[in-house]
Amino acid sequence: MLTIGKLAHETGVKVPTIRYYEQIGLLPEPDRSAGNQRLYDGAHRDRLRFVRHARELGFPLDAIRDLLSLSDRPEASCAAADGIVREQLHAVRERIARLQALEEELARMIAQGCHGTIADCRVIEVLGDHALCAHDHAGGD
Amino acid sequence: MLTIGKLAHETGVKVPTIRYYEQIGLLPEPDRSAGNQRLYDGAHRDRLRFVRHARELGFPLDAIRDLLSLSDRPEASCAAADGIVREQLHAVRERIARLQALEEELARMIAQGCHGTIADCRVIEVLGDHALCAHDHAGGD
DNA sequence: CTAATCTCTCTAGCAACTATAGCTTCAAGA
DNA sequence: TCTTGAAGCTATAGTTGCTAGAGAGATTAG
Ligand SMILES: [Zn+2]
Ligand SMILES: [Zn+2]
Ligand SMILES: [Zn+2]
Ligand SMILES: [Zn+2]
C-alpha cells in the first residue's frame, strides 16, 4: 500500500497532479486510511504510469481517458486505440509543420542582420508587415 | 475612425480579443464615442496588426509587450528586439525537436501494425511501458 | 510526547483567449 | 418618427493541464 507521496515518487507524477487526475475522473478514487489519507496499490500505480507515459507522448487528457477505458476491455478490438494514436501522430505532424514554417521565417528575419536603431530594425519592420514574410503562417497557433 | 467591429475586420483579430488586449494593457485605451463605444484610428490599427503578426509567429504576449515598447522608441538600439526574436527562434527549435522525437515514437508504435484485440495491442502495450520506447521523451510537454 | 514531515480540502492563478448573459447604442428603412 | 436588427457595452465564467498557497489534521521518528 502506497501513500500519495510514495506513489508520486514511484511514478514521477507530482502529488497535486495525482489529486487533480482523481478529481477529473481520470484515476479511480482509492481507499482511504483511518485518518482519511489515500492508499494506492499496484493497479493504481500501473494506471498512473500509463497516464504519465501518454502525457509524455503528448496525448491530451481526453484521449488518455479513452485509451484507459479501452485498456479496461481487453477483448475489444484495438482499432479504436490505434485510431487515437494515429490521430495524435497527425496532430503532432501538423504542429511540427507549423513550427517549421515559423522557424524559417524567424531565421530569415534574423539573417537580415541589423545592428542599428529600432527605426531601421529589420525584425521590427517585418513584425509590422506580413507582406515582408515569405510564408503564409495564417493558421491558428 | 473605426469601431471595434471594423477594426476586427481589418486586422483579423476578433472583437473579444481586442477588448482582452486592451484589458491586459497591450493596446492603449481608445477614445470613446458619446455613447461609450470605442473609436480607433490608424495608429491603433497598425499596433494591432503588429500584435497579430507577432502572435502568428508564436511570440508570447509578454514578448510582444516588450517589442511594442521598443518600437515606440525608434532611437533605441535594436539589439534587444533582435534578442527577443532570437530567443523565440530558440524556443521554436526546441519545440520542434521535442515534437520530432514524439513523432518518431508514435510512428514506431503504429508501424508495429496490430489488428487484434486490446489484449494484444502494441500501442496499448507501449503506452503502458516506457521501456518499450526508443527515446527518452522525459522532458516537459 | 513532541517535532517534523505528510496529507487533507479548498481556493486561486498561469496563457491566451472564448463564450455567455443582459444590457445599451447605432444605423437604416417604413 | 418609430422600429427593428445589428453591433457594442460590462462582467463573469469556461477552456487545458496543471501549480501554488492557506490552514488544518495525520503519521512517524526519536
Ligand atoms: Zn534589429
Ligand atoms: Zn508574416
Ligand atoms: Zn492495436
Ligand atoms: Zn516512452
Side-chain angles (χ1 to χ4, degrees):
Chain A
M1 281 301 186
L2 299 158
T3 62
I4 198 169
K6 280 174 192 146
L7 180 66
H9 187 75
E10 286 198 14
T11 59
V13 179
K14 290 181 187 156
V15 168
T17 304
I18 297 173
R19 287 196 278 247
Y20 169 72
Y21 286 164
E22 179 187 324
Q23 191 196 313
I24 62 168
L26 204 60
L27 298 180
E29 297 187 18
D31 291 338
R32 300 287 186 124
S33 74
N36 197 37
Q37 301 197 348
R38 291 169 178 83
L39 290 178
Y40 298 92
D41 60 17
H44 286 104
R45 193 190 44 220
D46 291 349
R47 202 174 178 88
L48 183 51
R49 284 207 176 121
F50 184 101
V51 172
R52 178 181 142 109
H53 194 208
R55 282 297 296 139
E56 283 172 359
L57 287 163
F59 287 87
L61 292 181
D62 269 3
I64 296 175
R65 199 190 304 273
D66 293 345
L67 287 167
L68 279 171
S69 81
L70 283 169
S71 79
D72 287 337
R73 294 184 289 122
E75 304 313 320
S77 152
C78 79
D82 297 8
I84 291 171
V85 175
R86 252 174 251 276
E87 212 174 272
Q88 169 67 6
L89 177 56
H90 183 70
V92 166
R93 285 186 170 149
E94 276 193 343
R95 282 163 70 194
I96 289 173
R98 260 205 326 266
L99 287 173
Q100 278 174 339
L102 297 194
E103 184 201 355
E104 258 188 72
E105 207 61 68
L106 291 167
R108 229 172 59 95
M109 281 169 68
I110 285 176
Q112 315 236 343
C114 54
H115 336 274
T117 63
I118 291 288
D120 314 310
C121 182
R122 285 275 155 208
V123 313
I124 293 285
E125 192 185 353
V126 173
L127 283 171
D129 186 1
H130 173 59
L132 300 174
C133 274
H135 292 85
D136 241 21
H137 39 145
D141 182 25
Chain B
M1 280 302 187
L2 298 159
T3 63
I4 198 170
K6 280 174 192 145
L7 181 65
H9 187 76
E10 287 199 14
T11 58
V13 178
K14 291 181 188 154
V15 168
T17 305
I18 296 174
R19 287 197 278 247
Y20 168 72
Y21 286 164
E22 178 186 324
Q23 192 195 313
I24 63 169
L26 203 61
L27 298 180
E29 298 187 17
D31 290 338
R32 300 287 185 123
S33 73
N36 197 35
Q37 302 197 347
R38 291 169 179 84
L39 290 178
Y40 298 93
D41 60 17
H44 286 106
R45 192 189 47 219
D46 291 349
R47 202 174 179 88
L48 183 51
R49 284 207 177 121
F50 185 101
V51 171
R52 177 185 166 170
H53 195 206
R55 282 297 297 137
E56 283 173 357
L57 287 163
F59 288 87
L61 293 181
D62 269 3
I64 296 175
R65 200 190 302 272
D66 292 347
L67 287 167
L68 279 171
S69 81
L70 283 170
S71 79
D72 287 337
R73 294 184 288 122
E75 305 314 320
S77 152
C78 79
D82 297 7
I84 291 171
V85 175
R86 252 173 252 276
E87 211 174 273
Q88 169 68 4
L89 177 57
H90 183 69
V92 166
R93 285 186 169 148
E94 276 193 343
R95 280 160 69 194
I96 288 173
R98 260 203 325 266
L99 287 173
Q100 278 173 339
L102 297 194
E103 183 201 355
E104 258 188 72
E105 207 60 68
L106 290 167
R108 229 174 59 95
M109 282 170 67
I110 285 175
Q112 315 237 340
C114 55
H115 336 276
T117 63
I118 290 288
D120 314 310
C121 181
R122 286 274 155 209
V123 312
I124 293 283
E125 193 186 350
V126 173
L127 284 171
D129 186 2
H130 173 59
L132 300 173
C133 274
H135 291 86
D136 241 21
H137 38 146
D141 180 30

